[in-house]
Amino acid sequence: MRKKLFFMLTCIPFLTSCDSSSPEEVIPQTTLYPVQFSIQMEKEVITFPTTRSAPNSPVSEPATSKAGENDAELNELCSTIEYVVFKDEETPAFIKHRQLTYNPTDLDADFSCIYDSLPQGDYKFCFLAHNSKTATLSGLTFSFDSISDTFYEMLSLEIDVAEVINRDISLQRIVSRIEFMATDSVSGILKQFDMEIDGISNRLDIISGQGIKAQEKQVISYAFKNDEIGEVNKIHPFYTFIPANDNRMAVHLSAIAKNDELIRERQIDNIIPEKNKIIRYKGRIYSRSESDDTFQVSIFNNGAWEKTDDVELPDYD
């Protein structure tokens, strides 16, 4: 999946700004040069599948959308854009952080445009597009309430006097999606399914685009609904950023009954996430096995995803 970012910088001695801002460093009174960043979809964009499980196909076909038909298509890709500016120095100096959130009720707002003005100088512009409800920047680190599909780009750019700059920049996906697909059906006795994740990278270094590992194990718990009883090929996913080193993770799976009895648990070690890849573990995860079977691992090449690898792991009760 790709999304293009079009830059237009025009050196005119006045300030234009239309996007909402979070607190930022006060820039001393000096000549400011307007900067406009326009975020647009490509003419054809392969989106994430909307249906994640199907009886005869592990992943549904991607949908094709047309740019410019409806702003909601940009919202389908991301609901929030983080715009962060640093002075380009040996230790980047924070200048400003702005957060743009898609609002379908505000017909006058242009979610895809960022207007800014900056003095002459060298800067690092960081762009982060995501669907997380909460994102907080502290220093160079972004923290999230939960990780969503996330796209990123960092641009080093010099703003000079009387210079016009036009650039195209593609945001790149910087997460891996880990999925567990159940080949057994959802039983009526099940209450919840837990994923205890050791080694997830749930924070992001905004300058490098690399993940920062969590020190503690993270638990994602899913409560089953009555209308899911009998469902097959149900998928339990999560996203992770990719750290600079030691990106291996381990996940402990637990299927728990309504009486709190542990029905089945599984330990999956040496999970190696990679950017722009869905890694799917497919096997029995809700019920006890009567005999040994296999636990299949697939990396799917779907849309922008790069390649497919299949690995078989032994299944132990």
Side-chain angles (χ1 to χ4, degrees):
M1 182 182 301
R2 280 182 175 267
K3 179 177 178 188
K4 285 204 172 178
L5 199 61
F6 297 92
F7 288 80
M8 184 170 62
L9 280 73
T10 309
C11 294
I12 305 173
F14 62 84
L15 171 65
T16 303
S17 180
C18 71
D19 55 304
S20 59
S21 303
S22 54
E24 59 189 54
E25 179 180 312
V26 176
I27 300 174
Q29 186 64 36
T30 185
T31 302
L32 302 179
Y33 301 94
V35 183
Q36 178 180 325
F37 302 92
S38 297
I39 302 175
Q40 300 180 13
M41 304 285 283
E42 291 179 323
K43 291 183 179 180
E44 291 190 357
V45 176
I46 304 300
T47 64
F48 275 103
T50 54
T51 302
R52 301 301 298 173
S53 60
N56 299 319
S57 176
V59 181
S60 62
E61 290 298 319
T64 301
S65 59
K66 298 293 183 180
E69 293 179 359
N70 193 326
D71 283 345
E73 298 204 2
L74 179 59
N75 184 44
E76 289 173 0
L77 183 63
C78 63
S79 59
T80 303
I81 298 171
E82 311 285 347
Y83 167 70
V84 189
V85 183
F86 296 90
K87 202 68 184 295
D88 194 351
E89 301 171 347
E90 185 175 353
T91 300
F94 174 79
I95 298 295
K96 63 181 65 180
H97 170 210
R98 296 181 179 179
Q99 185 180 80
L100 290 84
T101 303
Y102 179 78
N103 182 2
T105 64
D106 189 352
L107 301 180
D108 295 327
D110 191 347
F111 177 58
S112 64
C113 285
I114 302 173
Y115 300 94
D116 200 358
S117 292
L118 292 165
Q120 179 183 2
D122 295 328
Y123 297 92
K124 289 184 181 293
F125 296 91
C126 300
F127 301 87
L128 193 68
H130 61 84
N131 287 298
S132 301
K133 292 182 179 179
T134 303
T136 305
L137 177 63
S138 177
L140 302 180
T141 303
F142 261 105
S143 301
F144 304 84
D145 59 331
S146 62
I147 310 170
S148 62
D149 194 17
T150 307
F151 301 83
Y152 166 86
E153 182 62 19
M154 191 276 290
L155 171 70
S156 294
L157 186 65
E158 178 184 3
I159 296 180
D160 205 350
V161 178
E163 182 180 8
V164 177
I165 301 174
N166 290 312
R167 297 280 184 96
D168 289 353
I169 295 187
S170 297
L171 295 178
Q172 304 295 322
R173 180 181 279 115
I174 57 170
V175 292
S176 178
R177 177 175 163 116
I178 311 299
E179 298 181 346
F180 297 95
M181 174 186 277
T183 56
D184 46 347
S185 62
V186 178
S187 168
I189 68 171
L190 289 176
K191 177 179 73 172
Q192 69 188 58
F193 182 77
D194 291 343
M195 295 183 290
E196 185 182 63
I197 309 162
D198 186 8
I200 190 172
S201 294
N202 59 355
R203 295 185 297 154
L204 182 73
D205 183 310
I206 191 61
I207 294 294
S208 67
Q210 295 174 335
I212 301 171
K213 275 196 169 187
Q215 297 298 313
E216 305 293 334
K217 294 180 180 180
Q218 306 292 305
V219 177
I220 299 176
S221 184
Y222 180 82
F224 291 103
K225 304 175 181 63
N226 289 333
D227 60 3
E228 292 174 328
I229 296 175
E231 184 177 338
V232 181
N233 291 340
K234 184 167 184 61
I235 292 175
H236 299 274
F238 67 88
Y239 292 94
T240 180
F241 297 113
I242 312 301
N245 301 297
D246 186 23
N247 62 336
R248 294 179 185 270
M249 300 190 306
V251 180
H252 189 83
L253 307 178
S254 301
I256 302 170
K258 293 177 180 178
N259 63 358
D260 292 329
E261 178 188 0
L262 180 62
I263 301 299
R264 185 178 178 89
E265 60 181 345
R266 304 192 65 167
Q267 177 71 25
I268 300 91
D269 297 312
N270 296 318
I271 300 173
I272 304 176
E274 296 183 60
K275 290 180 183 178
N276 201 34
K277 291 182 183 177
I278 298 174
I279 302 176
R280 175 174 294 173
Y281 288 75
K282 183 177 180 181
R284 184 188 298 269
I285 59 177
Y286 296 148
S287 56
R288 298 184 177 95
S289 298
E290 296 180 357
S291 61
D292 288 340
D293 54 16
T294 60
F295 200 12
Q296 181 182 0
V297 183
S298 299
I299 301 178
F300 292 89
N301 181 7
N302 186 33
W305 303 108
E306 295 175 349
K307 66 177 182 179
T308 300
D309 293 341
D310 293 322
V311 182
E312 291 188 358
L313 299 178
D315 180 21
Y316 299 104
D317 284 322

